[in-house]
Amino acid sequence: MKKKNYILRAFLFNPVTVAIYGIGAYYVCSLAQYGGVAQKAPIILTIFISLIVWMGWGLYWYIWKVDKKQTPSPHTIKRSKFLFLLSINFSLLITVASGISLYHSGTNYQGKLAYVIQDYLTSSDVTFDHNNVYQDGLNGLLEDLETKYDLPEELYVSNQVELTFNKKGDITTLYSFLYGLNDDGETESFLIDYDRSKSDILSVTLNGNVNPTFEKTMRLQPLLDAMENLPIKETVKEWDEETLGIYYAGSRSWGYNTEGILYFDEKGDTFPIETAFNEIIGYTISVYTPNNNTITPVRFVDYTPDVSPIQSGDVPTDQNMNDIETHFLTKKLGYQLFVVDAAAGSRFYSLNKTTDGGNTWNVVNADPFAGQLGVSSGITFMDESLGFVGLSHSGGSYADLYRTTDGGVTFEEVELPMIEVPLTDTEKYAPFDFPEMPYKESDSLFIQVNQGQDGDYNGGSKALYQSKDNGETWAFVGEV
C-alpha cells in the first residue's frame, strides 16, 4: 500500500502541478499587492479549480483504474518518491514565500490588501435618507449618522465639507472629514464619502489619521445653522445648471474683494457688500457651479460678530474666488493659481505666493502650465518645495498634472503609466485621464486618476497610483 501511495502522490504532486500552483500563488500575491480583482480573480479561480479537479480525477484514477494486483518496479517506486518529495518541498517553499508576501501586503499600508483590511475594520455604511439640501439642510446628514454612531457633541471640520447636488436639491456627492471629543474625552473622527451614482449609502471610515486642533474657526455647527436658513434654492435657481456645489472650510478671510460676497445674519437674511471698509472675515458657505467657471460663486459670510473670532491675516484670503485654486501650508504661507487671462472658456494662470496670510501676493511663476490654456483642476503642496498643480481641458474631459520641486519656480508634467482596458474584442482604450491632487500616506505619495466628465468605464472607477520618490515616478496600484 505504501508503494502504491508514492505512485499516487507523485501523480498528484508533480512538477507541472507545482508550476501551476506557483502561477496561482503569484497572481494571489499580485492581487494582494496591487489590486485588480476584475483582471486577476478569474485567472486565480481557473487555476485553483483546475487543481481541485486534477486532484479529484487523480483519486478516481487511482481507486478505479489502477490494477491493484500489478506490482510496480523498484525503479518506478524510487522515481515516484523522488518526484513527490521534490514537488512537495517546492510547494512548501512557494507557500511560505507567498505567505510572507501576503503578510507584507496586508500590513503598514504596503499593498492593496492592507487598505482592504483597514476598510473592513474601520469602515461601515450608513443609509442616506435625508439627502436633500432644500428640505433637510445638513442636519439630515447628522441625523442619519446618529442612527449608527454616538456623535461627539461638538464636531470640527478637518479639511472641508464639499458636496454637489442637482436642481431638485438631492445631494449627488459629498465628502468631509469630521472629528470631535467623545464622552470619555477621546478624539473620534469620521471620514464621510458619498457618490450617488455608485450607491445610495454613505461610506464612513472611523478614526483615521487626523490632526485634532479643535480650532473654533473650523466648527461644523455654523454650517449646519446656516443651511437651515440660507436661500440656497433661490440662489441657484437662475443658474440653470444640472450640477451645483457647496463648499465650507470654516471661518475665512476674503480680504477686501466684495465680488460674490453676501453677508448673512442669524435669521438667514442676506445683503451684499458694495464697499469693504474692513477685511471681510467670517464663517463662509460657498455656493458654486462645478462645471461652469463663468458663473461667479456666491459666498455667504456670517455677519454675526461672535462667530468671527479670527483676526486679520490669520486665515487665507481667496482673491480669485475659486476654492480649488488656493492652497495654504500654514496660516501665513500659501500658494494660488491666479487667473491672468481668459478666452473661450479657458484660462491662463500665474502661480502666486503669500507669506502673510493672503494680505499680499507675489508672482512665483508667470506661466506654470508652459503656455497651456485650460481650467485649474487643483493645487496642493506637500512642503515649501514639493507641489502639484492640475489643468483640465475640453470641459473637464481630461487633465494634466504638473510637479515642482523648487516651490513653483519650475514645473514638469507628470507622466503616469497608461492603463488600457478592452473597448471591443480587438480594441483597447485608456479611460483614466483626469488625475486628482496627490496625497501623502506614511512615506509614499498616492494619486487617484478618474475618468473626467466623459468617463463611464466600470461604474466610474478610478486608477490608484503610488510613488515612493516624492512623485518623480509612479506605479499603478489598482482600480478603486
Side-chain angles (χ1 to χ4, degrees):
M1 187 69 179
K2 185 176 180 180
K3 295 177 182 178
K4 292 278 187 178
N5 279 339
Y6 270 122
I7 293 176
L8 171 63
R9 294 169 186 172
F11 181 77
L12 296 177
F13 294 95
N14 58 70
V16 175
T17 306
V18 174
I20 295 174
Y21 172 67
I23 295 172
Y26 166 78
Y27 274 98
V28 170
C29 294
S30 177
L31 176 64
Q33 178 66 36
Y34 303 110
V37 174
Q39 295 81 17
K40 296 169 185 174
I43 298 174
I44 294 171
L45 288 174
T46 300
I47 288 174
F48 285 101
I49 289 175
S50 299
L51 290 175
I52 293 172
V53 171
W54 171 258
M55 295 295 175
W57 185 85
L59 290 172
Y60 168 79
W61 168 82
Y62 176 73
I63 294 172
W64 299 102
K65 299 297 183 180
V66 172
D67 185 358
K68 304 297 190 299
K69 296 180 180 180
Q70 183 178 356
T71 302
S73 66
H75 175 72
T76 300
I77 296 173
K78 185 177 180 181
R79 184 183 64 182
S80 298
K81 183 177 181 180
F82 172 78
L83 286 176
F84 168 70
L85 293 176
L86 179 67
S87 298
I88 203 71
N89 278 284
F90 269 103
S91 297
L92 289 173
L93 182 63
I94 292 171
T95 302
V96 171
S98 300
I100 294 173
S101 176
L102 290 173
Y103 172 78
H104 285 297
S105 297
T107 56
N108 298 325
Y109 297 100
Q110 297 182 80
K112 180 69 174 180
L113 179 60
Y115 291 93
V116 173
I117 294 173
Q118 182 69 13
D119 286 344
Y120 176 78
L121 295 176
T122 62
S123 299
S124 61
D125 297 331
V126 176
T127 303
F128 197 13
D129 291 325
H130 301 84
N131 63 346
N132 189 284
V133 294
Y134 301 152
Q135 299 173 9
D136 309 306
L138 278 181
N139 281 306
L141 169 66
L142 298 192
E143 185 176 337
D144 290 336
L145 290 175
E146 285 173 340
T147 61
K148 200 162 189 176
Y149 308 109
D150 291 327
L151 297 178
E153 183 176 352
E154 182 75 83
L155 284 169
Y156 296 83
V157 178
S158 176
N159 39 30
Q160 75 269 353
V161 176
E162 189 169 6
L163 64 91
T164 60
F165 59 100
N166 59 27
K167 287 183 176 181
K168 297 179 180 179
D170 297 324
I171 296 175
T172 52
T173 64
L174 187 149
Y175 172 84
S176 187
F177 197 5
L178 309 177
Y179 68 92
L181 292 177
N182 61 21
D183 294 337
D184 297 325
E186 300 172 338
T187 300
E188 291 186 347
S189 67
F190 306 84
L191 179 62
I192 304 167
D193 193 9
Y194 172 73
D195 188 338
R196 189 180 181 182
S197 66
K198 298 180 180 179
S199 174
D200 60 353
I201 59 176
L202 291 163
S203 175
V204 182
T205 302
L206 302 177
N207 299 325
N209 185 22
V210 65
N211 180 26
T213 58
F214 298 100
E215 293 183 6
K216 188 177 180 181
T217 58
M218 296 299 291
R219 293 168 57 237
L220 177 67
Q221 193 60 46
L223 172 64
L224 302 179
D225 295 339
M227 291 291 292
E228 290 291 314
N229 300 313
L230 286 177
I232 304 295
K233 186 175 183 179
E234 293 75 9
T235 300
V236 303
K237 184 177 180 180
E238 302 300 325
W239 288 352
D240 194 27
E241 290 288 318
E242 293 296 330
T243 302
L244 306 153
I246 292 175
Y247 182 94
Y248 174 78
S251 187
R252 308 177 66 188
S253 169
W254 299 93
Y256 296 86
N257 191 335
T258 62
E259 184 181 7
I261 299 290
L262 290 176
Y263 273 144
F264 71 94
D265 58 22
E266 65 275 6
K267 297 179 181 179
D269 295 331
T270 64
F271 52 95
I273 309 170
E274 295 183 359
T275 303
F277 297 100
N278 297 298
E279 187 174 1
I280 303 170
I281 300 175
Y283 292 107
T284 304
I285 293 86
S286 301
V287 183
Y288 65 103
T289 53
N291 301 328
N292 189 344
N293 291 293
T294 64
I295 297 177
T296 301
V298 174
R299 265 57 180 197
F300 295 103
V301 179
D302 199 323
Y303 183 66
T304 310
D306 61 355
V307 296
S308 298
I310 51 180
Q311 300 299 320
S312 175
D314 283 347
V315 294
T317 301
D318 192 338
Q319 293 182 339
N320 63 6
M321 307 302 289
N322 192 327
D323 291 318
I324 66 171
E325 293 174 355
T326 305
H327 180 84
F328 274 77
L329 283 169
T330 67
K331 292 180 179 179
K332 298 292 186 181
L333 175 60
Y335 297 86
Q336 180 184 79
L337 288 170
F338 189 84
V339 179
V340 295
D341 197 5
S346 294
R347 297 177 177 182
F348 185 84
Y349 296 89
S350 67
L351 178 70
N352 297 354
K353 178 180 178 181
T354 181
T355 56
D356 58 7
N359 291 323
T360 59
W361 295 84
N362 296 313
V363 176
V364 177
N365 188 324
D367 186 11
F369 298 117
Q372 296 295 313
L373 289 173
V375 176
S376 165
S377 60
I379 176 173
T380 188
F381 273 77
M382 306 300 167
D383 52 45
E384 199 166 350
S385 298
L386 179 62
F388 297 85
V389 294
L391 191 68
S392 68
H393 308 278
S394 299
S397 298
Y398 70 97
D400 298 318
L401 183 67
Y402 297 81
R403 171 177 175 262
T404 180
T405 57
D406 54 16
V409 177
T410 59
F411 282 91
E412 290 186 355
E413 188 172 350
V414 174
E415 298 291 338
L416 297 171
M418 181 179 295
I419 305 302
E420 293 186 326
V421 300
L423 180 61
T424 64
D425 292 338
T426 58
E427 294 180 289
K428 293 183 177 181
Y429 79 112
F432 306 111
D433 55 5
F434 199 104
E436 300 174 359
M437 289 298 102
Y439 57 93
K440 190 170 186 178
E441 289 187 359
S442 299
D443 295 327
S444 296
L445 294 181
F446 292 88
I447 184 173
Q448 294 187 13
V449 182
N450 66 45
Q451 303 176 45
Q453 294 293 329
D454 58 349
D456 58 2
Y457 165 71
N458 197 18
S461 65
K462 301 178 182 180
L464 179 66
Y465 293 84
Q466 179 183 19
S467 174
K468 297 181 179 180
D469 53 11
N470 286 328
E472 184 174 350
T473 59
W474 296 85
F476 176 67
V477 175
E479 284 186 38
V480 294

